[in-house]
Structure formats: structure tokens, C-alpha cells
């Protein structure tokens, strides 16, 4: 009975180790993608700011009265949404970082248990 229980525990540990090994690359890849999207969001926000500034400058320099204010407002609204998405991505990336840390910690713990148990 002890052998059966011991082999069941060993099988569970082996399964858990395999699951952790499976999850780690996916979490790392997702983290890289989130980081890449965040960089793109920052670049987009900078372009929006530059375009809004340029539209304001053009509007001030025009001899003919062009009302570019609605376009500037649309750009600023788009910028606000980009910042909001960037904050969401930042929170998601932080959760991924914590998950990756937990997976690594659990892997070390389980590996130590397996080695200590002689499995």
C-alpha cells in the first residue's frame, strides 16, 4: 500500500513538474508580446502628440480660418484611449511577471522535493 501511495505521489509530482515546464515558455512568450505591444503603444502615443501639436501649429499659421479643433480633440481622445490600453497592458504584464515568478519558485520547490525523496 505504501508503494502504491508513494508512486501516486511521485506521479503527481511528475505531472506538476511537467505542467510547470509547459506553462513557463507560454508565460514568457506572452510577457514578451505584452512588452512589445506596450512599446508600440508608447510610440503611437508619441506620434499622436506630435500630430496634435502639428495640427495646432498649422491652425495658428493659417490665413484662412480652418477649424482643426475637432480633429485635435479626436486625436487627444485617441491618445487618452491609448494611455488607458497601455495601463491595462502594464497591469497584465505585472500579473504575468508575478505568475512567472510563482512558476519558477514552484518548480524549484518541487525539484527539491523530488531530489529529497529520491524520485
Amino acid at each position: 500500500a505504501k508503494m502504491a501511495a508513494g508512486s501516486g505521489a511521485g506521479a503527481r509530482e511528475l505531472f506538476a513538474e511537467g505542467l510547470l515546464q509547459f506553462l513557463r515558455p507560454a508565460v514568457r512568450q506572452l510577457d514578451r508580446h505584452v512588452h512589445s505591444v506596450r512599446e508600440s503603444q508608447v510610440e503611437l502615443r508619441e506620434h499622436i502628440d506630435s500630430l496634435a501639436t502639428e495640427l495646432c501649429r498649422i491652425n495658428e499659421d493659417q490665413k484662412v480660418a480652418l477649424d482643426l479643433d475637432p480633429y485635435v480633440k479626436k486625436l487627444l481622445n485617441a491618445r487618452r484611449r491609448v494611455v488607458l490600453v497601455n495601463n491595462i497592458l502594464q497591469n497584465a504584464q505585472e500579473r504575468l511577471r508575478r505568475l512567472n515568478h510563482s512558476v519558477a519558485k514552484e518548480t524549484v520547490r518541487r525539484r527539491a522535493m523530488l531530489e529529497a525523496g529520491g524520485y
Side-chain angles (χ1 to χ4, degrees):
K2 283 187 177 182
M3 286 284 277
S7 66
R12 282 194 303 272
E13 292 295 322
L14 198 56
F15 175 74
E17 177 71 21
L19 186 59
L20 290 173
Q21 293 299 325
F22 174 75
L23 287 176
R24 181 177 291 127
V27 169
R28 285 184 179 155
Q29 182 181 18
L30 191 55
D31 185 55
R32 283 192 303 270
H33 288 303
V34 168
H35 182 72
S36 176
V37 170
R38 284 188 60 212
E39 286 178 350
S40 296
Q41 292 281 318
V42 168
E43 188 177 323
L44 178 59
R45 189 179 67 223
E46 289 170 355
H47 286 298
I48 288 171
D49 288 345
S50 174
L51 186 55
T53 301
E54 193 65 24
L55 279 176
C56 287
R57 189 190 60 73
I58 289 170
N59 199 24
E60 290 170 1
D61 291 348
Q62 288 297 317
K63 305 236 188 294
V64 178
L66 289 176
D67 188 19
L68 297 177
D69 284 342
Y71 301 105
V72 171
K73 285 179 184 174
K74 285 182 182 180
L75 280 171
L76 294 177
N77 189 33
R79 182 190 188 281
R80 183 186 56 77
R81 288 191 308 250
V82 166
V83 168
L84 180 66
V85 168
N86 195 33
N87 288 340
I88 292 168
L89 287 170
Q90 188 173 2
N91 290 336
Q93 190 171 31
E94 178 58 28
R95 286 193 302 269
L96 280 171
R97 187 195 63 74
R98 286 193 308 260
L99 178 61
N100 193 25
H101 179 73
S102 295
V103 167
K105 200 162 104 176
E106 183 66 13
T107 300
V108 167
R109 185 186 75 77
R110 289 185 183 274
R111 192 168 284 138
M113 280 177 45
L114 286 173
E115 289 171 1
Y119 294 106

